[in-house]
Amino acid sequence: MPDALQLCPKDYPPFFEVCMGHAKALESMGFRVRTVFFRARGGAPGPSAAHGVIYATPRDLPGLVAGVRPDLLISHRHRAYRVGVPLARRVGIPTHVVVAHEPGMFGRFTRRLRRRLAGPRHARFAGVSEFVAEDLAATGIQSPLVLPNPIDLEALAASMKGRTDARAALGVPASAFAIGVVGRLHPKKDPLRALRAFEAYRRDNESACLVFVGDGMMRERIEQEAGAGVVVAGFRPEIRTLLAAFDVVLSCAGEREGAGVALLEAMAAGIPVVLADRPGPRSVVGDCGMYFDTDYQLVAALRHLAAHPAPTTVERARQRLATRFSVEALADRYRSVLVASMR
C-alpha cells in the first residue's frame, strides 16, 4: 500500500476540512494517509483518528517517517513547504506537491530565492483555484496545477442541521430573511462593506438579519458599528452544519481572496451565494452565484433573492460541485499528477 504524508501548519476551519478532503481522495486511490498539523488552534472536529491525524512539531517529522518512507508528500501553505523540502530530500520522497491557498505565496523575493536554490524540479506546485495558479505562474513557476478545495458532499449533507435548529444555534429570528457572512473578520474580507450594504437594504426589509460568523481583528469594530438586525455570532467550528440558517451567504472579499471555502459549502447546502466579482471566488463559483461591483448592485441582489428564494443557480451549483469540487474529482486530479510524476 503506498503511503502519503500531508503537512499543514494549522487545523482551524477550513484547513482541517480541506485536509480531510485531500486525505479521503488519496485513500480512495489506495493510499495510507497521515496528516500532520503543526499546531492546533481551531480544534479538530469529528473522528480525526480515522484519517491518521497527528499533531506534531516540524522537528518530530523525521521520527514520524522513520521506517516508512512516504511515496507522496503534500505540503499546504508556505510554512509546510519550507519544512517539506528538506524532509523530502532527507528521506527521499519521490513526489512532493505544494498547495498554495491564496495568492502571494512567493510574493517575497527571499521566498522566490529559496525556491530557486532548491532546484527546478524539487516540487510540483498547485493553486486551489485558477486564480492562485496564475499567481504562481507569475512568480516563475512552470505549469502550476489546480487542486481545488474538495467538498465531501455526502458527509456535509449528513451533518447539516435543520433550519429551525440552525437558527436557534446562531440566534437568528425564525422569520427573518437571514444573510450570512462566514469567515475571518479581516480587512481583506471587507466585512464593513457587508455591514454598510445591509443597513441600506434593511430600510426596505426591517425583518432582515445579517449574521457574522467568525472572529478576527475587525470584530470589535463591527460590534461597535452594528445596528439593528445584526448578529455577531463569533467563531463557530461547526458552522458548516448550520448553513441552513441562512437565506443567502454573502462574500465581500477583495482581490487577495484565493477561492472561498465558505462559498463552496453554501453551494453544497443549497444556499444562494452573493459575492464581490473577484478572480479567485469567480473561478470557484462560476455562473452559480450573483456578482456585484457596487454597493447598489449588492443591495439589488439581496432584494432579488428575497423576492425569489429559489434561484436556478442552486441546482447548477450542485452540478458544478460534483464535477469540479468533489472528493472524487480531486482524486482524478491526483491521478494525473502521479502519472506525470512517473513520466
Side-chain angles (χ1 to χ4, degrees), residues 85-285:
V85 169
L87 178 68
R89 285 181 171 169
R90 178 175 178 174
V91 181
I93 301 173
T95 305
H96 184 189
V97 177
V98 181
V99 184
H101 288 256
E102 60 187 4
M105 186 175 191
F106 292 104
R108 301 177 191 171
F109 172 75
T110 53
R111 290 186 177 186
R112 295 195 298 274
L113 178 61
R114 290 193 191 100
R115 188 189 75 215
R116 288 197 293 269
L117 292 174
R121 297 187 180 182
H122 69 286
R124 291 295 309 275
F125 293 91
V128 295
S129 66
E130 287 82 358
F131 172 58
V132 178
E134 290 168 2
D135 179 78
L136 290 172
T139 64
I141 292 174
Q142 297 295 317
S143 303
L145 309 166
V146 177
L147 293 177
N149 291 321
I151 294 292
D152 189 334
L153 300 174
E154 292 184 2
L156 180 60
S159 69
M160 289 282 292
K161 293 185 180 297
R163 182 180 177 90
T164 300
D165 291 341
R167 290 199 162 196
L170 292 173
V172 178
S175 61
F177 177 72
I179 305 158
V181 177
V182 182
R184 282 188 303 150
L185 301 181
H186 187 276
K188 80 172 188 176
K189 303 285 189 179
D190 204 358
L192 292 179
R193 186 177 193 185
L195 190 63
R196 183 174 66 241
F198 175 73
E199 290 175 352
Y201 170 72
R202 199 170 185 275
R203 298 183 193 124
D204 297 338
N205 184 356
E206 292 186 355
S207 68
C209 181
L210 176 67
V211 186
F212 290 98
V213 183
D215 210 342
M217 61 190 299
M218 298 192 70
R219 177 171 178 172
E220 183 177 354
R221 182 173 177 184
I222 289 170
E223 290 176 333
Q224 291 173 348
E225 298 188 14
V230 177
V231 175
V232 183
F235 173 71
R236 298 293 184 95
E238 79 285 13
I239 184 56
R240 59 180 5 216
T241 71
L242 303 175
L243 291 171
F246 304 129
D247 295 287
V248 178
V249 167
L250 169 64
S251 170
C252 295
E255 294 287 348
R256 306 302 293 174
E257 181 74 356
V261 173
L263 295 172
L264 286 173
E265 292 174 344
M267 291 162 65
I271 309 300
V273 296
V274 176
L275 61 157
D277 195 355
R278 301 291 184 261
R282 178 175 275 279
S283 69
V284 169
V285 175

